[in-house]
Amino acid sequence: MGRKDFVADLRVAKQARLPPHFSDLVTGDEDGAFQFFYNVDQAGLIRVALNVCLDEISSYPREHNYFLFSDSENVPPRVQQAISDFSSAGMRIEPMLIQLSKHLDRASCRRPDGEGSEEELDDFPEEDPDDSDEHCHDDAEFDLGDEIHGQASINRAMIDRGAAPGIQRSMEEMNIIRKKACDDLKRAKKAGFRVAYTGSLLRDNTYLTISLRVARLGLQDDTLKAWDLDKSEYLMMIIQYKEGYRSLDEVANSAIGRDVEVRVLLNKNYKLSSAEAGHACLETEAKDNSNIPKNARELFIGRTINDLIKQRLSRILKFRLVMGFTWQGAEDFYNENQSRILDEHPVNSKYYEPDDLSHLEGAPKIVKADHLSDPGNSASFPLVAMQFALRHIVRCTEFCLVCHCRTGNTFEALRPYVCSNPLCLYQYMRLGFGPSIEHELLTQPHVVDLLVSFCYSAAVARKLRSTPCGMGLEVSRGMLLAPGFHSYPPMPSVHGSAIMPQRSSAKSSCQSMSRPMNPKITKEVDFEEKSSQLIFRNNTVDPDLYCGRWIQILAGKLPEQHRRVVRIAWPIVYLGPAVLVDKTEELEFAPPHLIKPAPTPPLENSLSPSITIQYMVWNCNIDDLDFDEQQAAICGLLRLLPSVTKMITYLKDLPERSRSLSKWIDRLPSSTLGVLRWIIASNRSCIVQVDDIHGNKSAEERVSGLPGYTQFRFATGAPDKESRFLEAVKTQTAANNLKHPTVFAWHGSPLWNWHNIVREGLRFDYTAHGRAYGNGVYHALQSQTSEGYSGTRSVGQSQGWQESELGINSALCLNEIVNVPSEFISRSPYLVVAQVDWIQTRYLFVKCDSTKELDPGSIPARFLEQDPAMHPTGNSGKLIEIPAKAIRRARQPSYSINQGQKRTKLSPDTEEDEAYMSDVSEEQDCVVLREERNIQDTYDDSRTKFTPGNLDHASLPLLHAPAYATSQATKALQRELKNILGVQDAQPQQELGWYLDPDSVNNVYQWIFEVHSFEKKLPLAMDMQKVGIQSVVLELRFGKNYPFSPPFVRVIRPRFLPFMNGGGGHVTAGGALCMELLTNDGWNPASTIEAVLLQVRMAISSTDPKPARLHNVLDTDYSAYEAKEAYERACRAHGVSSLALILDSLDSDNA
């Protein structure tokens, strides 16, 4: 292996026909290196030398990485970028060259009918999964006995990987693989996941899915909203076995992407068809998400998670298996010892320390489980891989999005970010590892508008403290003359934000902005506007022009415009549609796809009447400009940015699976898109829009008492700032025994200050208007005072971003401040706070051109109790009320929560019912669970004993036929009763797990069941055995709309320990079953009573989040009234409709 394989493959590559445009492949000067040439243009005039070397030749051909570079001086920028972006880890030399050829050809904009077309590339072999088996197996079908019919059915996937070609595995070996696959899937299913697969697990290109409903992740509502997650969706992992099933040991000794492909996404169902799964795994690196199945979508950090799994999971698993590390230990060892040999240094004991899960105390068990730590387990790769993915998804705020190291945050963050490593920051901004622009636009359009508007105002006023350097952004020199860009010295800030030292050149910005245009920068050419052609005379060419580059056109009769070079056929250059700076005369945009130009017409026909224009190429790198010019360039680029609505409209016109602004190549220059990415990614605060410009508002998130403003909430501030603030709150609360740890106060500042405030918080290291009351950040308890410092601009003033739909005129914020007034510099008339870490913005209020006159709003149902001595007021002089959502839930227990005008604590029953809400399972899962019971040989030793017929029905609340009975419901219930009794007669009681006495059914609208035969290891089973109880007695009541409405299910006896006292099992404090399946919103009319009983039994047996336990008071049954109250409380907590008619019948029940 290693060097021997590399030398052999390189020899074969030299003798074979190279891909198109590659030539002269030779061995390099160093071990593990080679070189060849690439012809960039069709004529072969531009020839680039490419050097390739391996990071570790000993890892070839499985875990190696290629490093590509060129020492040629004539490499076009697009080709250079393509070389830098290319990745082909774990590929052999020939497939790598094929992929590289395609990659470079796309960057070179080759014509489809020219040399290097796709037809030529198709001559070379390439993996293409063949999904011929469309049958999809659900969880039940884990018996693979029918897959092996004899040696004739064994294909190349059954060849022993260590033997010579043609040697097949024996039937004994195949049976071992089959049993291992079966056991692995059963373990994943027993752990609480939904498992399905397509085809045969012993053949090529089998696809396995392992899923978990988002509702079971235990995430808070704020987190679900920020991450754009829907509780009804499934978090799904797709595993493709390219050459038959592979065990955990085999995967750990290979590489993800070679024999096994893994991808994580969201899906509406828990399984996929063979075609959907194959499409999803065929191009796992597709950046436009075009390969996502129809009902699926990308996770908000899907690219980061999928890259992590592909690049690191195999190595991390190997460290865990060989060295015995924990998850955190294995990941730390990987990060800190990548270049070391395992035996070279002694292993630090820190890698064996248990993972710290103290902050996940309330999280569901399935999120914290570690299959590899269970003693005696033969580990299941699907289960381990899913647990690894869950670790980095649920806890994504703890890890860097780029290097995946722990960030060290000491607070509960809401959004993931990156660590302070400069390389991580660069990749986060430049390479798109940060937040998805498209996701932000579609979910928080007004937040994007807000951030762009703030950035534009700061750039116009020359108040930016940082610019997007290192991102390769290019502009034309003419864009530095952006209208509205101030030529006067920077204006000082008000009270708050500091001004960074100017990095301008020796000449003032005023002089540099007004100097005449260099004739070498502007070029003259004939322009045919109708056909969008530049026509070069006298056989002249412009070497700065190439396909994809943008130019700025200047002509007296034409408005300033920018166009993209679509195609070059000298002496004619074909341009894309115009993007006009004059927005009042903006042309219609091109279609979203790349324009395919018509065949080049004869030259004499192209020389139609034209005008002579001047143009400038976008060849000025923003990094080469002085600081003032960089801000002018940002203004120029943002003037070309379409409005948020136009961008959203464009995205929604694209297929949902391939929505990307990078496709809008003829309207949105890559540099403009880069600035937009920088604006969004550099905002480390998590801002949530509360209102919109049309007057819609969220009452439970809106601060009352401030009409006329659009509100935004800071769910969390910048990570480092938030961490220091929370530490200050904790320290000062303990030191001063504070009843109210923080207070809230207003702060106003001009528009050009807010871009920096949002990112860095408030500072005061520059004196603007004097400091009569001392040095510090100034606040006021009256909003009118702070409004006077907000610097309201006139409508239409040039400082504002022209395409903004908010049209922001002014802004002020409501800050949370550590409540130690004795440490303030001043308390009257202003609150002057010198400790900047004691201040954290919680709400932002903006006054907009288009904002409807919003009323003050009603008081939120849950708001924070504030310090009476420092209660802020609104612009009407009345006290404002701040929603409880202003602070994270982890801090809310230290506050009293107000409901209406009555101050109370949160109801424990509300928390209890919320934690109990169960997942909805489909009908086919019932078959799965029955099949799983057949795995065991006997049940007598593993389950509690039950004897039918011992229940005294005279002690039960039996009902007469209800007045609301209908013939439709009666017939449906009679059919169900017949089916239930048939199932009961056909299966042994201990396998079935429930019992219905036929003689007890005098009314088909009320059934009494006994649930029994629980696994002895369950705490509930132990409690039942201790007190001599054999079964849990349930009542099912049906309404007139059955089967279109669910039954009401409750426990009659015995009593269960309430959740607030340590109980579980999805039984509420009143005995009602709290399951989404049993609500009008979650009910499926196709569900049978057998399925309902199975789900109820599962819920009672569940140990997540806590196992069910019996109450110490067992001589009193649950009453119907208790069950009704608990059920209605749970429905209200989750916003679902209850079963009104059935519940009314409970009122007359005296049981």
Side-chain angles (χ1 to χ4, degrees), residues 49 70 94 99 142 311 350 408 453 590 661 876 915 924 940 1098:
S70 175
E94 279 196 284
Q99 293 297 326
F142 293 159
Q311 296 169 8
K350 69 177 183 179
S453 298
L661 286 176
S876 62
Q924 56 262 43
D940 294 337
M1098 279 185 61

Side-chain angles (χ1 to χ4, degrees), residues 908-920 1034 1047-1051 1056 1059 1064-1079 1082 1092 1095-1100 1102 1104-1105 1122-1136 1139:
D909 293 330
T910 301
E911 297 178 0
E912 171 188 350
D913 297 337
E914 197 167 334
Y916 276 127
M917 187 59 73
S918 176
D919 185 18
V920 180
L1034 301 178
F1048 176 72
V1049 183
R1050 73 179 183 99
V1051 175
F1056 283 65
F1059 179 79
H1066 297 271
V1067 180
T1068 65
L1073 267 294
C1074 184
M1075 301 171 62
E1076 188 179 0
L1077 173 68
L1078 301 178
T1079 65
V1092 171
Q1095 288 298 303
V1096 168
R1097 191 177 185 282
M1098 279 185 61
I1100 294 176
S1102 174
D1104 185 14
E1122 286 181 276
K1124 173 190 173 183
E1125 290 294 309
Y1127 175 82
E1128 289 183 326
R1129 188 166 55 243
C1131 289
R1132 286 195 300 269
H1134 293 278
V1136 295
L1139 309 172

